[in-house]
Amino acid sequence: MPKLWDESIDGHRRAVRDAITEAAWQLAEETGPLSLTMSQVAKAAGIGRATLYKYFIDVESILIAHHAQHVEGHLQSLDELRAGSGPVGSRLVAVLRAYASICFHRGRHSSVDVSSLVHRDPQVAEAEHRLRQVFADLIDEAAAEDIVRVDVSSDELAAYCLRALSAAGQAADLGRVARLVRLVLDGLGCSLEVHEGDQIAAMISRDH
């Protein structure tokens, strides 16, 4: 089979798969995952049920696939910020406020039922480990430059960051998200230079 034709088929399959997962996620958010049927997903995605079953066996597998793809995108974005070319203090602030923003928007757009369903997937634990490692690696780098405290291990500080920043999901607005990020910086024992150089509220507002 010619390469261009093969790539065209793969692209079509990805497009169909994306249409399915997006349609299912939106319906699950609106009506709840428990009442969602494959027929409803097929109709919303604009495909037949037979085609739908070629991609997924049930609604749960569709929602889990959508969540996994969403999480992977966030992980890649955070890791790119961690590995950027700027000063470690700036990169630390960037990662903290990016994750806080993720938590904030997830809290506003994700239902409890859908969240409970997708978090039963074993891949979630692996994603959480990768996320914690992104933070731990950056904290190690910051510690080497005396930007953060060194009396607590980077793994513990990474866990602290993730737990604390998850509270952004209950924040009323982005201003409170910014204050939360500053509190986490304080908890990390960040140097005065990092605080003086941060423009957290402005950066978050500019992104969204």
Side-chain angles (χ1 to χ4, degrees):
M1 182 179 294
K3 182 178 181 181
L4 288 177
W5 178 252
D6 190 47
E7 291 176 351
S8 178
I9 292 175
D10 287 343
H12 172 72
R13 288 173 177 165
R14 284 194 297 271
V16 172
R17 183 182 176 89
D18 289 345
I20 292 170
T21 57
E22 287 292 339
W25 192 267
Q26 183 173 345
L27 286 171
E29 292 283 2
E30 293 172 356
T31 65
L34 300 180
S35 60
L36 186 59
T37 67
M38 293 290 273
S39 294
Q40 290 173 317
V41 174
K43 182 178 179 180
I47 60 175
R49 286 186 61 194
T51 300
L52 177 59
Y53 279 104
K54 289 179 181 179
Y55 288 84
F56 297 99
I57 60 172
D58 55 27
V59 170
E60 182 174 348
S61 65
I62 300 174
L63 297 177
I64 287 175
H66 181 279
H67 181 257
Q69 183 178 16
H70 204 57
V71 168
E72 183 61 32
H74 286 323
L75 283 170
Q76 290 181 6
S77 296
L78 291 170
D79 199 43
E80 287 172 3
L81 290 173
R82 177 200 63 80
S85 58
V88 64
S90 297
R91 286 184 281 121
L92 179 60
V93 171
V95 169
L96 292 177
R97 58 101 175 175
Y99 184 67
S101 182
I102 289 169
C103 292
F104 173 73
H105 289 283
R106 182 175 62 201
R108 297 169 75 88
H109 300 293
S110 182
S111 73
V112 173
D113 288 343
V114 175
S115 180
S116 297
L117 175 65
V118 297
H119 279 85
R120 296 204 303 257
D121 180 32
Q123 291 184 1
V124 170
E126 179 186 350
E128 289 175 347
H129 172 75
R130 289 172 57 194
L131 177 61
R132 190 164 59 250
Q133 196 61 51
V134 168
F135 277 77
D137 287 347
L138 185 53
I139 290 169
D140 271 334
E141 191 176 347
E145 296 189 20
D146 294 324
I147 291 175
V148 299
R149 60 194 303 168
V150 296
D151 59 329
V152 181
S153 73
S154 60
D155 285 340
E156 290 178 282
L157 289 177
Y160 156 73
C161 289
L162 295 175
R163 290 281 187 177
L165 293 172
S166 67
Q170 285 77 51
D173 53 53
L174 290 171
R176 298 187 186 189
V177 173
R179 287 197 292 274
L180 176 63
V181 173
R182 291 194 182 95
L183 285 173
V184 173
L185 286 169
D186 285 339
L188 290 173
C190 281
S191 61
L192 182 61
E193 289 78 8
V194 173
H195 273 287
E196 288 180 341
D198 89 64
Q199 297 292 331
I200 301 169
M203 288 190 290
I204 291 178
S205 299
R206 197 164 55 235
D207 284 348
H208 302 282

